[in-house]
């Protein structure tokens, strides 16, 4: 049975993980930044090393394409993920899938295997959505979910424009997004949650992905003196924002609720120790595997904000940053994942992706599914994120089998 080169896989994950450390030693490889460029340069060099043709599209998605005389012109099978990161990230999120995809191609070539279809590996732009919203911007644009010009004009949290930043770092390519229409897509990713680790299962066959709703909320109150203003006369924007956060947690804690919600950023203004804030700007991330329930959570949030107008005297506005419905994946590919795990003697269970993924966008284009490997203690979006070497290797071997099998199948 062909297996990937585990030493090469792990050393590359480690090497890419050392790219983009800031002055405080935090891993910060935000989309289209200088750190992202350094990571992309490394990934492109590995694609070339694996005999792949490197193509960059106009939204900066980076592809390695391996085709032979015999299979040129056939629809490819595709894998991939992302190499942009959150702030103070771990080294596995996204990078695992890109590096394992390249390893699959490298290994097939070394073993002299000729696949019936070309194989493409993508590193999609701005999956994390930390700098530019919505998240999955590159893969969303690739599948036609957002007009290219609109995507390129996206203004980031730092006021930059993604199209200009991609040009600046040398990754504004010329291929039209969607130029390569895959026959099938499969993505290897770390689970980023606790299930596989807790159950001692090595492979997750991901059959669906939960819906995501992001908003930026602005609550306005009245700036006033912290010492002289009686409590009953305050209109405290910071307090109202805190109440929203507590409200969300209470909803998530209702019996039977599968909702998760996060206030991940908050800025108070004027942000001074002795001044009642007149403005709170904060983000809300709400997720649920069921579309109706996600809609119910959004409605509950806005009803609560209206209630705060009455109870706290504040005003508010909301900007939608990202909204994606839950996505079912392709049962046929899920079964291929299970079959590959069984063939290799690996334990496997079906599961839902709690995280947003490029695969959810590719699912709009072709049959798609995902492979998960365990995250120790379910820690992710954290430098302590860790997946054991043997699990990374197991996942890459399952990817190898699924890619090989998919490349033999009719579209
Ligand atoms: C991406 O990592 C997300 O799910 O936010
Ligand atoms: Mn990811
Ligand atoms: Mn992530």
């Amino acid at each position: 049975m062909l297996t990937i080169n585990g030493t090469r896989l792990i050393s590359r994950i480690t090497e890419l993980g050392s790219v983009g450390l800031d002055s405080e030693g935090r891993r910060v490889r935000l989309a289209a930044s200088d750190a992202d460029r350094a990571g992309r340069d490394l990934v492109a060099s590995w694609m070339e090393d694996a005999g792949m043709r490197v193509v960059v599209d106009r939204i900066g998605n980076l592809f390695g394409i391996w085709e032979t005389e015999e299979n040129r012109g056939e629809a490819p099978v595709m894998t991939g993920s992302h190499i942009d990161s959150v702030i103070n990230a771990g080294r596995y999120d996204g990078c695992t899938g890109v590096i394992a995809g390249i390893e699959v191609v490298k290994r097939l070539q070394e073993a002299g295997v000729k696949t019936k279809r070309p194989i493409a590996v993508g590193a999609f732009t701005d999956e994390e959505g930390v700098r530019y919203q919505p998240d999955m911007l590159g893969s969303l644009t690739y599948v036609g979910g957002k007009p290219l010009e609109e995507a390129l004009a996206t203004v980031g949290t730092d006021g930059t424009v993604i199209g200009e930043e991609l040009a600046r770092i040398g990754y504004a390519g010329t291929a039209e997004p969607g130029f390569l229409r895959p026959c099938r897509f499969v993505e290897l990713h770390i689970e980023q949650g606790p299930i596989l680790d807790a159950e001692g299962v090595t492979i997750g066959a991901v059959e669906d992905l939960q819906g995501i709703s992001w908003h930026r909320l602005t609550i306005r109150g009245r700036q006033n003196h912290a010492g002289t203003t009686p409590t009953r006369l305050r209109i405290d924007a910071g307090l109202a924002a805190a109440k929203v956060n507590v409200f969300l947690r209470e909803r998530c804690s209702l019996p039977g609720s599968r909702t998760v919600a996060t206030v991940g950023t908050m800025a108070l203004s004027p942000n001074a120790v002795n001044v009642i804030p007149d403005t709170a700007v904060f983000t809300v991330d709400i997720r649920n595997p069921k579309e109706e329930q996600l809609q119910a959570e959004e409605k509950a949030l806005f009803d609560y904000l209206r209630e705060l107008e009455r109870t706290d005297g504040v005003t508010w506005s909301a900007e939608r940053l990202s909204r994606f419905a839950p996505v079912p994946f392709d049962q046929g590919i899920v079964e291929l994942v299970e079959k590959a795990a069984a063939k290799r003697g690996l334990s496997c269970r079906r599961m839902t992706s709690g995280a947003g993924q490029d695969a959810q966008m590719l699912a709009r284009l072709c049959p798609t599914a995902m492979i998960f490997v365990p995250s120790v203690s379910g820690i992710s979006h954290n430098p302590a994120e860790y997946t054991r070497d043997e699990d990374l290797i197991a996942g890459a071997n399952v990817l190898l089998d699924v890619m090989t099998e998919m490349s033999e199948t009719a579209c």
Side-chain angles (χ1 to χ4, degrees):
M1 204 184 327
L2 188 63
T3 56
I4 58 100
N5 180 330
T7 308
R8 186 167 51 204
L9 178 82
I10 303 304
S11 81
R12 286 181 171 180
I13 291 174
T14 307
E15 189 177 348
L16 183 53
S18 69
V19 174
L21 302 182
D22 71 6
S23 54
E24 295 165 47
R26 304 180 309 169
R27 188 174 294 103
V28 188
R29 220 167 35 238
L30 299 184
S33 62
D34 289 332
D36 188 20
R37 168 179 29 205
R40 285 162 174 267
D41 289 350
L42 195 54
V43 166
S45 75
W46 290 333
M47 287 172 168
E48 278 163 5
D49 167 71
M52 306 174 96
R53 178 163 61 88
V54 175
V55 181
V56 181
D57 74 12
R58 293 179 62 197
I59 192 66
N61 296 318
L62 167 66
F63 295 95
I65 304 164
W66 177 45
E67 54 198 355
T68 60
E69 285 299 312
E70 296 78 27
N71 67 24
R72 202 178 302 278
E74 297 288 341
V77 289
M78 190 183 279
T79 186
S81 192
H82 62 97
I83 67 153
D84 69 310
S85 81
V86 296
I87 296 165
N88 202 16
R91 67 161 69 108
Y92 302 94
D93 179 359
C95 302
T96 298
V98 173
I99 294 171
I102 297 169
E103 177 57 32
V104 164
V105 172
K106 177 89 179 159
R107 214 45 213 112
L108 287 170
Q109 283 190 27
E110 285 173 344
V113 177
K114 294 242 187 287
T115 54
K116 291 224 176 88
R117 299 185 172 283
I119 294 184
V121 181
F124 294 97
T125 298
D126 188 42
E127 189 270 356
E128 295 290 6
V130 170
R131 192 178 185 198
Y132 302 102
Q133 287 103 34
D135 46 347
M136 284 84 68
L137 182 63
S139 47
L140 175 69
T141 307
Y142 190 80
V143 303
K146 195 174 189 59
L148 175 65
E149 296 308 330
E150 199 182 296
L152 288 170
T154 304
V155 178
T157 49
D158 54 2
T160 57
V161 176
I162 192 169
E164 292 170 8
E165 283 292 275
L166 285 168
R168 186 183 66 78
I169 67 164
Y171 279 91
T174 52
E176 290 301 323
F179 71 100
L180 204 57
R181 202 183 169 87
C183 177
R184 286 186 172 74
F185 183 89
V186 66
E187 176 174 355
L188 171 66
H189 205 284
I190 56 165
E191 180 200 334
Q192 307 183 269
I195 298 171
L196 293 174
D197 189 44
E199 295 183 0
V201 174
T202 307
I203 299 294
V206 185
E207 54 180 354
D208 60 351
L209 181 148
Q210 68 180 346
I212 304 176
S213 166
W214 285 0
H215 283 91
R216 182 184 295 119
L217 299 180
T218 301
I219 293 186
R220 292 195 194 281
R222 187 172 56 213
Q223 181 176 333
N224 211 336
H225 195 290
T228 61
T229 315
T231 298
R232 69 189 159 76
L233 294 182
R234 294 176 182 227
I235 306 178
D236 185 336
L239 177 71
K243 285 184 175 182
V244 170
N245 200 353
V246 171
F247 172 79
L248 292 167
R249 171 58 68 91
E250 282 171 352
R251 293 240 0 140
C252 295
S253 302
L254 291 174
S257 172
R258 291 181 73 193
T259 304
V260 286
T262 307
V263 172
T265 75
M266 187 178 293
L268 300 182
S269 171
N271 203 30
V273 62
N274 56 356
V275 183
I276 298 164
D278 68 351
T279 312
V281 180
F282 58 106
T283 51
V284 172
D285 172 324
I286 308 178
R287 308 192 193 199
N288 191 294
K290 295 272 175 259
E291 175 60 25
E292 321 76 70
Q293 283 164 25
L294 190 55
Q295 284 180 20
E297 296 300 350
E298 290 172 315
K299 180 174 180 310
L301 169 64
F302 289 114
D303 286 348
Y304 186 65
L305 285 161
R306 278 186 282 274
E307 193 180 316
L308 284 175
E309 290 175 27
R310 290 192 303 278
T311 56
D312 289 52
V314 293
T315 58
W316 59 277
S317 60
E319 181 191 353
R320 178 176 275 196
L321 299 177
S322 190
R323 180 61 164 86
F324 298 115
V327 176
F329 285 135
D330 179 73
Q331 283 299 310
I333 302 178
V334 173
E335 282 165 22
L336 286 184
V337 175
E338 290 175 320
K339 201 174 105 186
K343 187 179 91 177
R344 293 196 179 255
L346 300 167
S347 52
C348 178
R349 81 178 319 263
R350 292 193 176 205
M351 58 196 310
T352 298
S353 173
Q357 311 280 2
D358 293 306
Q360 78 187 86
M361 298 304 158
L362 272 292
R364 299 186 189 185
L365 214 55
C366 64
T368 294
M370 296 188 71
I371 305 160
F372 274 177
V373 284
S375 295
V376 171
S377 305
I379 301 289
S380 187
H381 285 184
N382 180 326
E385 179 180 275
Y386 178 60
T387 297
R388 288 180 205 88
D389 291 357
E390 61 265 33
D391 293 337
L392 294 164
I393 293 167
N397 277 323
V398 170
L399 180 69
L400 169 69
D401 294 349
V402 174
M403 292 295 286
T404 310
E405 187 92 19
M406 292 195 316
S407 75
E408 300 300 312
T409 334
C411 270

